[in-house]
Amino acid sequence: MKKKLISTLLILGMLAASLVGCGSKEDSAPAADSSSATKEEAPAADTSSDDAEAPATVDAADLEPVTLHFIFFGDKKSATDEVWAAIADYTRDRLNCDFDVQFVAGDDYKQKLLVKAATGDVWDMNFDSDWTGYFQMAAQDAYMNLDELLPQYAPNLYKVYEEKGLLDAMKSKGHINVLPWTMTMNNRPNLQWRKDLAEAAGITVDKDNFNTMEDVDKLLYQLKEAYPDRYIIECSQMNGGGWLDLQAGLVINLNDPECKVVAKEQTAEYLEMAQYAEKWQKDGLIWKDILTDKLDHNSLINEGKLITKWGTHEFANQNRAWVEEGACWDYCEIYLDDLYANRTPLANALCISATSENPERVLMFLDLLETDQQLYDMVQYGIEGKTYVLDDEGGAAYPDGMDGASSNYQEWGGQWALWKPQFMRPNASYSKGFWEREAEYAASTDKNVVSPLEGFSFNADAVQTEYAQRNQIFDDAHKLLAVGLAGDAQTAIDKLAADSEAAGLQTLIDEYQRQIDEFLASK
């Protein structure tokens, strides 16, 4: 796509709209073919507000045909190519593009993206997040500067970000390079366990007094004794203390107004995490080949083979595709008196590769997704009658004979970054009103807080070597520590600290602190 051509077309389109009035997509689009939902079945978004910006009219006949290459997280479902071919047909009159949609398995996602960026591979858009590889990718300048492109080619999406105050959070090195989701929820930890199995074994949980890692430990051993042939838990994790994750194994304490940067291994909570993992590994609560087993842990849960899980309010309350009749979760939040931050905008996000040959067309696609319910349904749920059906309440359900485990499209990995609150339908995972309840939960206590660093983005340019080395050292050590395979926990943490210090950890912390101090002073 030629930028000048599209820019000219957009300008002409907006001029035409101001002279004769621009019909909405609902007015101008041809009827969808039989492979997609009809407009009557999937009502369009309400764009009648005086403030709503009409999308610029572009004659797709003037746009050269292109293929957009997308990369998402997880496994590719069987109907994916058919769905995205239908999406291409539906948007042909506005985008004139086809879609090549690929997936990378979760365990390899971060590393494969980093390799693709380092070797100069060409693609257009990918899923990323603060829990995969966004910060490392941004540090490598792997993502495109969207300062000018975003408002020009995705004005509706840009307006949403602007109204939600997310533009600062979307910047790295002073420039917009990430397109975050817009959902609200909190990260307070809880333990989930199979309620039906606990009750069958006569295990009673006093949830009013279940608040610490000691309480978690006691319940896990009760479940292990009752169900010795089932997997008990995947890992230990750092809980309590009010710590907020940054990058590279660094944290700040939400109780500290100065936001002093600390390495995780310097906290008592991290040692506690590692010691419980060591204990659980020794006693068989965490299985020995967990890092190499190649098992689908979600399937293990659904099948009743793995009977506890660390989670958040969202995961504890969503529906699961249980195989065993009567299976259900119970859960308990822990460390209720500690502060926990709401999930960041970067919890799920999209990025346009610095090598993209068609960033304008990608943004035009994302802008359509912000205003078109039918397109949203196709992207999220697929082809009506083949990959989903609409129930009596307008929810997206599985076709007869299909469930979460056998779904040919729904529940695909990376879809979270494309969630739109105005269009989301109830589905097998999330009941009607689920996300409104999640937002209410996030606001339900003064212990659930917005991060003081919301909108802060660390620039690693001055400490690239130290940043890369710390990432590698911490990731390698933490992977073993969290599942109890690092040997003696204290010894392993001491080695992590020594290796990190030798690799310039203090230099990295000092630079991180300097930037945080500047950010806080500017607020």
Side-chain angles (χ1 to χ4, degrees):
M1 175 183 294
K2 305 298 184 185
K3 293 183 181 180
K4 290 184 179 180
L5 171 61
I6 292 186
S7 181
T8 300
L9 291 169
L10 284 169
I11 293 171
L12 290 175
M14 286 185 279
L15 177 60
S18 68
L19 293 175
V20 300
C22 178
S24 70
K25 168 62 191 166
E26 192 71 7
D27 296 326
S28 61
D33 63 24
S34 59
S35 65
S36 59
T38 66
K39 290 185 174 61
E40 289 75 20
E41 294 165 329
D46 179 10
T47 57
S48 59
S49 166
D50 291 340
D51 295 329
E53 182 163 356
T57 300
V58 177
D59 185 351
D62 294 322
L63 300 176
E64 64 181 79
V66 298
T67 297
L68 300 183
H69 301 275
F70 295 168
I71 302 172
F72 290 115
F73 177 94
D75 297 316
K76 189 171 185 177
K77 305 246 180 171
S78 61
T80 296
D81 290 339
E82 184 177 355
V83 169
W84 283 85
I87 292 169
D89 289 342
Y90 177 67
T91 59
R92 188 76 61 193
D93 64 316
R94 292 164 289 171
L95 298 178
N96 197 18
C97 67
D98 291 301
F99 298 92
D100 170 40
V101 180
Q102 301 300 322
F103 286 76
V104 175
D107 290 345
D108 298 327
Y109 193 79
K110 173 181 174 180
Q111 190 57 41
K112 286 191 175 180
L113 274 185
L114 289 168
V115 170
K116 286 175 70 67
T119 56
D121 278 10
V122 176
W123 76 95
D124 292 298
M125 184 182 77
N126 62 272
F127 171 86
D128 213 339
S129 68
D130 57 5
W131 52 271
T132 47
Y134 166 71
F135 294 113
Q136 291 93 319
M137 291 286 283
Q140 292 184 13
D141 297 318
Y143 294 137
M144 188 171 289
N145 176 347
L146 303 177
D147 290 353
E148 295 182 3
L149 294 175
L150 177 59
Q152 183 175 4
Y153 294 103
N156 294 292
L157 180 58
Y158 182 82
K159 184 176 181 179
V160 171
Y161 288 140
E162 193 173 39
E163 290 175 345
K164 289 183 174 289
L166 297 178
L167 293 178
D168 286 341
M170 296 162 58
K171 294 180 180 178
S172 176
K173 302 180 183 179
H175 299 289
I176 295 172
N177 77 339
V178 60
L179 305 169
W181 70 342
T182 56
M183 312 299 286
T184 302
M185 62 191 69
N186 188 271
N187 268 341
R188 181 172 299 280
N190 61 65
L191 182 74
Q192 300 167 218
W193 66 90
R194 279 285 298 273
K195 178 181 180 180
D196 56 309
L197 295 180
E199 290 178 347
I203 299 171
T204 301
V205 180
D206 181 3
K207 295 176 67 172
D208 291 335
N209 294 293
F210 190 101
N211 191 49
T212 68
M213 286 288 281
E214 289 182 0
D215 299 321
V216 170
D217 181 70
K218 178 181 177 181
L219 176 58
L220 294 181
Y221 276 94
Q222 289 177 309
L223 290 168
K224 176 65 175 175
E225 182 178 359
Y227 299 100
D229 296 330
R230 305 207 191 200
Y231 295 112
I232 302 300
I233 195 164
E234 297 167 291
C235 64
S236 181
Q237 71 174 32
M238 180 176 167
N239 295 309
W243 297 103
L244 174 70
D245 280 339
L246 301 176
Q247 305 166 40
L250 305 179
V251 290
I252 63 165
N253 195 292
L254 291 168
N255 296 288
D256 177 11
E258 296 183 354
C259 297
K260 181 181 178 181
V261 179
V262 178
K264 277 189 175 181
E265 63 268 23
Q266 297 170 351
T267 70
E269 289 79 11
Y270 194 75
L271 175 60
E272 179 184 59
M273 177 279 297
Q275 289 174 333
Y276 274 115
E278 180 186 359
K279 177 185 176 187
W280 296 343
Q281 176 63 234
K282 177 182 177 182
D283 294 339
L285 279 72
I286 303 174
W287 56 105
K288 292 190 180 299
D289 61 345
I290 188 163
L291 296 181
T292 59
D293 60 18
K294 302 301 182 183
L295 298 173
D296 181 334
H297 291 192
N298 279 324
S299 294
L300 290 182
I301 291 172
N302 294 343
E303 295 164 5
K305 297 175 182 176
L306 173 60
I307 60 176
T308 75
K309 183 175 179 59
W310 295 108
T312 62
H313 191 267
E314 173 201 350
F315 297 126
N317 287 278
Q318 71 175 156
N319 301 323
R320 291 200 71 93
W322 300 110
V323 173
E324 294 177 296
E325 185 176 354
C328 60
W329 282 132
D330 203 348
Y331 71 97
C332 199
E333 300 158 340
I334 58 177
Y335 296 101
L336 291 174
D337 293 332
D338 289 341
L339 299 179
Y340 277 93
N342 292 339
R343 293 192 75 181
T344 74
L346 302 184
N348 292 293
L350 298 168
C351 297
I352 296 179
S353 169
T355 62
S356 172
E357 297 175 345
N358 303 286
E360 306 91 350
R361 208 82 63 101
V362 175
L363 289 169
M364 291 166 66
F365 163 74
L366 295 175
D367 206 53
L368 285 178
L369 197 63
E370 197 65 38
T371 60
D372 190 322
Q373 172 80 62
Q374 182 171 331
L375 176 59
Y376 181 83
D377 285 349
M378 296 178 75
V379 168
Q380 290 290 341
Y381 313 119
I383 299 170
E384 187 176 359
K386 182 178 181 64
T387 66
Y388 80 101
V389 293
L390 292 177
D391 61 26
D392 293 339
E393 295 184 351
Y398 293 115
D400 289 343
M402 194 179 296
D403 58 22
S406 60
S407 170
N408 54 4
Y409 184 74
Q410 287 194 72
E411 308 292 323
W412 52 274
Q415 62 171 213
W416 322 295
L418 291 165
W419 279 350
K420 304 296 178 184
Q422 70 272 30
F423 293 145
M424 292 181 75
R425 296 181 182 275
N427 65 6
S429 294
Y430 300 106
S431 59
K432 186 175 183 180
F434 183 94
W435 294 107
E436 289 84 351
R437 293 191 293 273
E438 281 301 298
E440 290 169 1
Y441 169 76
S444 65
T445 170
D446 59 4
K447 300 298 183 180
N448 293 345
V449 299
V450 175
S451 166
L453 299 184
E454 196 74 80
F456 171 77
S457 179
F458 177 63
N459 183 344
D461 281 355
V463 286
Q464 286 187 10
T465 300
E466 294 84 356
Y467 179 73
Q469 290 180 338
R470 167 62 180 181
N471 264 312
Q472 190 67 56
I473 291 168
F474 181 80
D475 286 351
D476 289 347
H478 179 75
K479 179 169 59 177
L480 298 174
L481 283 162
V483 297
L485 291 172
D488 177 73
Q490 184 65 68
T491 301
I493 285 179
D494 289 344
K495 183 177 187 305
L496 165 59
D499 290 348
S500 295
E501 192 61 37
L505 173 63
Q506 192 57 50
T507 300
L508 173 61
I509 289 177
D510 289 345
E511 177 61 17
Y512 221 119
Q513 191 69 60
R514 183 189 70 78
Q515 293 186 32
I516 285 178
D517 291 345
E518 288 184 357
F519 172 79
L520 294 175
S522 69
K523 294 181 71 173

